[in-house]
C-alpha cells in the first residue's frame, strides 16, 4: 500500500487564500455580483484546488478505464461481454461517443485496459493514447466468489495513481474520469449499497436498458454477493475487492493522484462516481477536489452524490459512461476559469458600478 | 408590416422525415439506445429544424442587442443608465462575459445598438461586429406613457429580421440571442405578466440585485404601466409597444427570421425568452425552433418557459443576459449534432448489439 499511502498523505485542504482572491476578483468583474451563479462558485473552487487565484486550463485529459466483470455470467445484462473489448477498439479508432465529445471540448482521451477479458491489440495506425495495466482478465463472478483479491484491489488503485502521475508530468490542468465495462453497473450498485446502507433494490437501475425480469435477477445477484462476502464499509479496499471492478479501482487511483497534485477532477456518471466515492472514503478532503459533471439516469448515482454531498453540473438523463458527461463538464469548468481570468473588471473596462458598491 | 408578414409566412413545421432518419441513426450508434438522453432528442430536433438528417454546425453566431429603458427614471434599479452604453463598449473591446463565453465556444458575437440612449462610437481598433439599428434613444417611461409607438415596435422587429437575414446570407448554422439594457427586466416582467395573466408580484425579480424597497417600487411601476396602457395579449405588437423595449423587439425579429430560414435558435435567459415568447405569439410553430439554453434565476423566466412549454438545458442560477447562457447552450447543441454525425454505428465499428435488437 506504500504508493497509495504516500499519495493520500499529499492530499491537502483547498487553498483558502487563493479562493478569497478569486472571489474578490469575481466581485469586481463587469457583471452584477453573483450573476453568473454556479460558474462563479466553480471558478472559486478551481482557485482553491489549484492553489492559484487565476487558474488556467490548458491541458485537458479524460482517462477512460475498461474492465470486464464476472457477474455477467449471472445473466444480469443484455450486451455480450465481448462488447467491452469491441468498444475499446472503437475508442482507439475514434468512433465512440467519448471521442466525439473529447474532440468537441479539446480534451485528450487516454484509454486504459485495467482488466478486459481479452488482450487488446491496437491497430498500428491508432493515434489514441492506450495504456495496458491489466490487473486480470475480468473479475470473478461476485455472486459466487470475491470479485478480486485484496492484492488486486490495491494494484488497481496503484495503477490509477501511476497513470495519472505520468499524465500529470506531461501537463494536465483538469482530468475527467470515464469507464467502459459490460456489467459494471452491478459492482457499482453493490458498492453504493454497502457505503450508503440503502437496500440494493433502491439503488439498482437498468444499466444499458434491461427489462423487469433481468432487473429482478440483477438485484438478486447483487444482494447475494453482499450477503455472501459482507464487505466492510469501514475498509474501502475490502469493498472494492469483494464487490468491485478493476476499472473502478483504477478510477479511484486517478482521483487520489489528481487530488494529491491539486488537479480538479471532473467525475463522469455512476461508475466514476463510485470510484470517486471509494477515494473519498480513503481521505475526506477528496470531496473538495471533485466536480460532478452530470446526474446519471442510474438511480444509484443520486445515492452516491448524496453520500459525497455534491451536486451535479448537468442533468441530461445520460447513462453512457465512457467519460461522456465528464467531457461536457470539463468544458463548463474551463468556461468558469476563463470568466475569472479573461473578463475585465469594472475599473479595467471603465464601467460604473452599482450604486452603493 | 410587410417584412414581418412575409417572414412569418415562411415558417414551416419541422421536417418529420429528417427527424425519423436522425432518430434511426441515433438508435444504431455505438451506445445503448437512449443512453445520451437529452442530447439524442436535441440532435433529432436539430434534424427537424434544419431539414437535414445529418445537421452540421459550423458557423455559430450570438446576436447581443442593446437598448435603454425610460422606466429607469422610476427608480427601479441600482445601476446608472450609462452602464448600457459602457457595457456595449466593453462588448466591443472583448472584455465582457459574453466575449469570453463566445470565444470559448467558437461563436461570433454581433453587437447591435437597437436603442441605446447615447450614440456608440466604436474605437477604430475594434474588430467586433457592430450594427446600428437605433429605433430611438431609449424607450419612454412606461409608467407614464407607452414605451414606444406601434410604428417603432414594428420597426424594431423588422430590424431584427434584417440583421439575421444578413447574418444568414454570410452563413449561420445556429444563432444565440442576447441582450443588454439597464432596466430591461422591468419591460420583460410586464410582458410576461400580460401574456401569462400572472400577477406582477409573482413574476417580478431582483434583476441585477435590488433590495426589498426597490423591488416594491419595481412591482408598483410595472403594475402602473399595465394598468395605464392595458396591453392586449391577443396583439403581440401592442404589448411590445406599450410595455416592451427596442432590444426585445429586435430579439423577436431575429427569432422569426431564424425560424423562417430553418436555423435553430438558442434562447438565452429572461429577456431573450420574452423576445422569443412574442415571436411565438406571432406564429405558433416558432416554439419548435427554440432551444432554451438555461433557466434564469429571474422568477419571471419560469413563467415564460411554462407559457412556451419548453424546458431549459442548463440550470446554473445565472442572470446576466448578454447571451452568456446561449453561448453555453450553443456548445451543447453542437455536441449533440456531432454525436449524430461523427459517431460510428454498430456496423461501422464492428460492435455487437444488445441481445434481442
Amino acid at each position: 500500500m506504500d504508493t497509495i499511502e504516500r499519495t493520500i498523505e499529499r492530499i491537502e485542504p483547498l487553498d483558502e487564500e487563493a479562493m478569497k482572491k478569486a472571489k474578490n476578483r469575481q466581485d469586481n468583474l463587469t457583471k452584477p455580483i453573483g450573476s453568473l451563479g454556479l460558474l462563479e462558485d466553480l471558478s472559486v473552487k478551481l482557485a482553491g484546488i489549484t492553489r492559484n487565484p487565476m487558474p488556467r486550463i490548458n491541458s485537458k485529459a479524460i482517462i477512460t478505464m475498461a474492465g470486464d466483470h464476472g457477474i455477467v455470467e449471472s445473466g444480469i445484462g443484455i450486451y455480450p461481454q465481448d462488447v467491452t473489448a469491441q468498444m475499446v477498439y472503437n475508442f482507439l479508432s475514434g468512433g465512440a461517443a467519448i471521442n466525439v465529445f473529447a474532440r468537441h471540448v479539446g480534451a485528450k482521451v487516454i484509454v486504459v485496459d485495467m482488466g478486459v477479458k481479452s488482450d487488446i491489440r491496437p491497430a498500428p495506425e491508432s493515434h489514441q493514447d492506450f495504456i495496458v495495466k491489466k490487473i486480470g482478465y475480468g473479475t470473478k463472478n461476485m455472486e459466487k466468489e470475491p470479485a478480486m483479491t485484496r492484492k488486486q484491489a490495491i494494484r488497481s488503485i496503484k495503477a490509477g495513481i501511476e497513470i495519472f502521475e505520468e499524465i500529470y508530468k506531461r501537463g494536465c490542468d483538469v482530468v475527467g474520469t470515464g469507464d467502459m465495462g459490460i456489467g459494471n453497473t452491478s459492482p457499482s450498485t453493490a458498492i453504493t449499497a454497502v457505503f450508503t446502507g440503502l437496500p440494493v433494490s433502491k439503488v439498482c437501475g437498468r444499466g444499458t436498458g434491461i427489462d423487469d425480469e433481468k432487473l429482478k435477477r440483477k438485484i438478486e445477484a447483487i444482494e447475494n454477493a453482499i450477503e455472501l462476502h459482507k464487505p466492510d464499509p469501514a475498509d474501502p479496499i475490502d469493498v472494492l475487492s469483494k464487490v468491485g471492478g478493476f476499472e473502478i479501482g483504477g478510477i479511484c487511483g486517478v482521483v487520489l493522484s489528481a487530488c494529491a497534485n491539486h488537479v480538479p477532477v471532473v467525475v463522469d456518471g455512476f461508475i466514476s462516481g463510485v470510484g470517486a466515492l471509494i477515494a473519498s472514503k480513503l481521505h475526506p478532503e477528496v470531496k473538495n477536489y471533485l466536480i460532478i459533471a452530470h446526474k446519471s439516469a442510474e438511480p444509484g448515482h443520486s445515492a452516491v452524490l448524496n453520500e459525497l454531498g455534491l451536486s451535479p453540473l448537468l442533468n441530461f438523463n445520460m447513462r453512457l459512461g465512457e467519460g461522456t458527461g465528464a467531457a461536457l463538464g470539463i468544458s463548463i469548468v474551463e468556461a468558469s476559469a476563463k470568466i475569472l481570468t479573461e473578463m475585465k473588471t469594472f475599473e479595467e473596462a471603465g464601467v460604473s458600478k452599482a450604486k452603493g458598491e
Side-chain angles (χ1 to χ4, degrees), chain A:
Chain A
M1 271 203 56
D2 274 3
T3 308
I4 301 176
E5 272 167 10
R6 273 200 310 273
T7 305
I8 289 172
E9 272 169 18
R10 287 164 55 205
I11 300 175
E12 301 175 275
L14 301 194
D15 183 340
E16 294 289 339
E17 195 54 38
M19 290 172 80
K20 225 170 98 183
K21 282 184 187 157
K23 174 81 174 74
N24 184 52
R25 184 174 166 86
Q26 275 291 3
D27 291 352
N28 279 288
L29 297 174
T30 46
K31 56 177 173 50
I33 291 178
S35 62
L36 285 177
L38 186 147
L39 291 194
E40 296 189 19
D41 302 339
L42 193 49
S43 75
V44 172
K45 182 169 174 169
L46 279 185
I49 292 172
T50 59
R51 316 186 85 71
N52 180 357
M54 292 286 267
R56 305 275 174 174
I57 292 186
N58 296 311
S59 298
K60 297 159 269 182
I62 295 163
I63 305 174
T64 302
M65 304 196 128
D68 270 311
H69 297 269
I71 188 79
V72 166
E73 282 173 20
S74 282
I76 47 81
I78 48 170
Y79 277 91
Q81 193 163 32
D82 293 346
V83 168
T84 304
Q86 290 168 353
M87 284 302 295
V88 169
Y89 285 111
N90 197 14
F91 299 155
L92 295 178
S93 77
I98 185 56
N99 305 102
V100 175
F101 281 134
R103 286 195 296 266
H104 179 57
V105 305
K108 197 172 187 167
V109 178
I110 296 109
V111 182
V112 183
D113 176 359
M114 286 295 302
V116 180
K117 210 176 173 178
S118 58
D119 285 315
I120 306 287
R121 298 176 210 285
E125 70 271 20
S126 169
H127 294 297
Q128 210 75 42
D129 285 83
F130 179 59
I131 299 172
V132 180
K133 290 270 184 186
K134 220 184 246 300
I135 310 299
Y137 287 82
T139 55
K140 306 286 184 196
N141 182 358
M142 66 178 180
E143 199 181 2
K144 296 184 184 153
E145 50 190 321
M148 62 185 96
T149 64
R150 189 173 178 95
K151 221 168 170 173
Q152 283 180 314
I154 291 169
R155 275 177 55 211
S156 71
I157 297 176
K158 268 182 66 175
I161 292 174
E162 287 161 10
I163 287 166
F164 187 76
E165 292 291 335
E166 204 48 52
I167 291 169
Y168 179 70
K169 261 187 224 154
R170 284 181 276 156
C172 180
D173 302 313
V174 63
V175 63
T177 62
D179 73 286
M180 176 69 221
I182 294 301
N184 70 5
T185 57
S186 289
S188 300
T189 303
I191 294 168
T192 304
V194 170
F195 282 126
T196 62
L198 291 166
V200 172
S201 60
K202 289 275 176 222
V203 290
C204 188
R206 292 175 191 274
T208 53
I210 57 176
D211 62 16
D212 287 353
E213 200 186 326
K214 287 261 180 212
L215 181 62
K216 216 178 124 191
R217 178 76 273 273
K218 183 176 171 182
I219 292 171
E220 193 181 56
I222 296 167
E223 285 173 344
N224 289 343
I226 294 174
E227 179 59 28
L228 179 63
H229 309 304
K230 299 188 175 44
D232 176 7
D235 179 0
I237 308 280
D238 186 60
V239 179
L240 175 62
S241 65
K242 288 174 173 168
V243 296
F246 299 135
E247 78 279 41
I248 296 171
I251 290 166
C252 169
V254 166
V255 171
L256 291 175
S257 171
C259 295
N261 289 301
H262 311 118
V263 174
V265 184
V266 182
V267 185
D268 194 37
F270 185 35
I271 286 84
S272 285
V274 163
L277 183 59
I278 296 174
S280 80
K281 296 290 177 185
L282 290 169
H283 195 301
E285 285 292 339
V286 162
K287 290 176 195 177
N288 297 323
Y289 289 80
L290 306 180
I291 293 148
I292 305 299
H294 76 118
K295 186 177 157 195
S296 165
E298 272 288 304
H301 195 218
S302 298
V304 169
L305 297 187
N306 243 2
E307 187 71 16
L308 286 167
L310 296 170
S311 301
L313 296 180
L314 307 170
N315 198 344
F316 286 175
N317 205 29
M318 285 163 61
R319 53 178 169 84
L320 178 55
E322 300 180 5
T324 47
L328 297 177
I330 281 175
S331 179
I332 305 291
V333 169
E334 192 179 358
S336 84
K338 286 179 175 172
I339 282 296
L340 184 59
T341 56
E342 296 182 15
M343 260 185 85
K344 283 188 187 161
T345 62
F346 281 99
E347 204 179 348
E348 286 163 1
V351 174
S352 309
K353 287 191 136 187
K355 290 158 201 162
E357 266 179 34

